[in-house]
Amino acid sequence: ARVAPLIDARPHPGALVARLWRGRVPILTYGRVIHWPGAKADFSAPWSPKDLEVLQHELQHVLDFANEALSPASYLLNARNWTYHYRLKDGCRWCDFGAEQRAMIAQHVWRCEQGLPTPYEEAAYREVLPWG
């Protein structure tokens, strides 16, 4: 997608607003920038598996912005984008899922590749992914 993701350890202003109902400042991706409060200064250092799976989630948002599958307006105006829970069924397609669901699927694919537990088998994810 010819995008160079950037991680900013400062919260996005929208994340500060989201703190009101989430109880904490969430990671928020806007365009190619992942606003990750408290992000590590050295990303070449060893990461925990939890950090890496969250990174995969956020990188999917970067990809969605780059491919114009997501914009701030489309995220806010389509409640389907806010749901993290998903179900993989026969015949479902990538475009059937909202932004957070696509990001969760990308996160779970990474978990599969690491041999970590996921809600579905890797083959089920491969059926719906738009990439190889």
Side-chain angles (χ1 to χ4, degrees), residues 15-97:
L16 297 174
V17 173
R19 173 180 53 188
L20 298 174
W21 66 86
R22 287 193 164 198
R24 62 175 178 77
V25 178
I27 299 168
L28 189 148
T29 297
Y30 179 74
R32 72 181 192 105
V33 181
I34 301 169
H35 296 272
W36 191 330
K40 296 178 182 181
D42 181 0
F43 285 92
S44 66
W47 282 46
S48 74
K50 183 63 179 167
D51 286 340
L52 287 171
E53 72 178 84
V54 170
L55 179 61
Q56 296 306 309
H57 180 106
E58 299 305 326
L59 288 172
Q60 181 58 49
H61 291 317
V62 170
L63 186 59
D64 279 350
F65 274 107
N67 290 327
E68 298 180 353
L70 184 62
S71 71
S74 70
Y75 187 92
L76 293 172
L77 295 174
N78 186 349
R80 182 179 86 154
N81 286 324
W82 313 338
T83 303
Y84 290 78
H85 178 74
Y86 63 90
R87 285 184 38 210
L88 296 182
K89 302 180 285 189
D90 286 339
C92 65
R93 300 169 305 155
W94 188 248
C95 62
D96 295 335
F97 300 100

Side-chain angles (χ1 to χ4, degrees), residues 53 107-112 114-121 125:
E53 72 178 84
Q107 181 175 340
H108 289 154
V109 167
W110 181 87
R111 288 182 61 85
C112 281
Q114 307 309 308
L116 298 170
T118 57
Y120 299 92
E121 298 294 323
Y125 291 111

